[in-house]
Amino acid sequence: QVQLVESGGGLVQPGGSLRLTCAASGSIGSLNAMGWYRQAPGKQRELVATVTSGGSPNYSDSVKGRFTMSRDNAKNTVYLQMNSLKPEDTAVYYCKLTMLLSGREYWGHGTQVTVSS
């Protein structure tokens, strides 16, 4: 019954910013990890950033220094602040929740981010 809902995507010009939100609901285990992934048409889904319930965020090299992931454990919500956006950031961004004890994974349906002039 776990559900993830992403929001905040849209159209932005190069150099602009967007803030994505992923809200998780249901029975969330205390030991878990949440992450952001993205997938462009014809390309493989790739990791953007991830964080455990008690750790610090880790970022892929392609976004490090431009994106910031934060987490509100009490609300089971994560955010992705995206700055200095580039056209190559265009993709559908997905949120994932992993229950570390069981290994179960849950995915949201994604939110479209388009960076274009």
Side-chain angles (χ1 to χ4, degrees), residues 42-89:
K43 296 184 178 180
Q44 295 179 328
R45 188 172 298 184
E46 64 176 351
L47 173 69
V48 176
T50 185
V51 64
T52 63
S53 56
S56 299
N58 293 286
Y59 304 92
S60 68
D61 187 65
S62 62
V63 307
K64 194 170 186 178
R66 299 187 298 119
F67 292 8
T68 302
M69 184 178 184
S70 59
R71 176 168 182 165
D72 186 335
N73 289 321
K75 297 181 179 180
N76 289 316
T77 300
V78 294
Y79 308 89
L80 185 67
Q81 179 66 46
M82 305 184 294
N83 299 324
S84 301
L85 284 163
K86 305 174 181 178
E88 51 262 43
D89 295 319

Side-chain angles (χ1 to χ4, degrees), residues 4-59:
L4 304 178
V5 179
E6 305 99 331
S7 62
L11 175 64
V12 65
Q13 295 183 5
S17 298
L18 284 174
R19 181 179 174 88
L20 305 183
T21 298
C22 173
S25 62
S27 299
I28 310 300
S30 59
L31 294 177
N32 64 77
M34 297 186 73
W36 287 99
Y37 294 74
R38 66 186 182 185
Q39 186 170 24
K43 296 184 178 180
Q44 295 179 328
R45 188 172 298 184
E46 64 176 351
L47 173 69
V48 176
T50 185
V51 64
T52 63
S53 56
S56 299
N58 293 286
Y59 304 92

